[in-house]
Amino acid sequence: MKVGSINPVETIEAGSATRHAMARLTVETPAPGFTELTGPISAWVAGSGIRHGLLTVYCRHTSASLTIQENADPDVQRDLMTALDRLAPRDAPYTHTIEGPDDMPSHVRAMLTGASVAIPVVDGRPGLGTWQGIFLIEHRDAPHRREIVLHIVGA
């Protein structure tokens, strides 16, 4: 395996002021599936005034999750939901059923996909690739109101 050299985008000078910004984003999910958050998150980052740093996006729920995935072809999202259905089927014999048959598979799916993503901020924008988007994945069958915490640190 060959590893290339690292080309710095910008070096923050010693002594420069580090700033933080924090916000909450409320998302109304329609049903199970992907809700793209890239637009509102990118607008918030741009408005923060922080040009270079690290953005953390965190989902405050155990039956929904976050991911960075392709945002060009919606077939990718459908195929990913199909894969999650195979990995954590709704009709499996789970012990935890008090919150309904969709709850435990939702916890498994959230564990597999994760509660947070960290994204570099470059020139005042999330440093995503060309076809990448930030998505909330709703794993429950009914619509839900989800809270996403945004935190950026940088200069």
Side-chain angles (χ1 to χ4, degrees):
M1 173 170 66
K2 181 179 178 184
V3 177
S5 62
I6 296 174
N7 298 318
V9 175
E10 179 178 322
T11 300
I12 309 281
E13 294 192 27
S16 65
T18 300
R19 298 184 358 231
H20 294 259
M22 201 166 178
R24 290 189 178 108
L25 173 64
T26 301
V27 181
E28 303 286 340
T29 63
F34 287 69
T35 301
E36 187 165 7
L37 308 178
T38 311
I41 291 174
S42 296
W44 177 78
V45 169
S48 75
I50 295 174
R51 300 214 5 97
H52 302 284
L54 183 66
L55 167 67
T56 301
V57 183
Y58 176 74
C59 178
R60 297 188 66 193
H61 305 276
T62 60
S63 57
S65 57
L66 294 166
T67 191
I68 296 174
Q69 265 303 330
E70 179 176 326
N71 64 357
D73 184 354
D75 284 345
V76 171
Q77 296 159 27
R78 281 189 285 278
D79 287 342
L80 288 170
M81 288 302 289
T82 299
L84 287 172
D85 287 340
R86 283 193 307 269
L87 291 169
R90 288 184 173 3
D91 60 355
Y94 299 108
T95 303
H96 172 74
T97 59
I98 195 165
E99 294 180 60
D102 68 334
D103 187 51
M104 194 58 220
S106 297
H107 291 305
V108 174
R109 294 163 191 227
M111 180 181 69
L112 292 171
T113 50
S116 66
V117 294
I119 305 159
V121 174
V122 181
D123 294 327
R125 299 184 345 215
L128 296 168
T130 303
W131 306 113
Q132 289 181 321
I134 306 163
F135 293 89
L136 171 67
I137 311 171
E138 179 60 65
H139 300 298
R140 299 294 302 264
D141 290 339
H144 278 78
R145 179 179 213 164
R146 302 300 191 174
E147 185 176 90
I148 307 301
V149 177
L150 310 173
H151 179 245
I152 186 172
V153 60

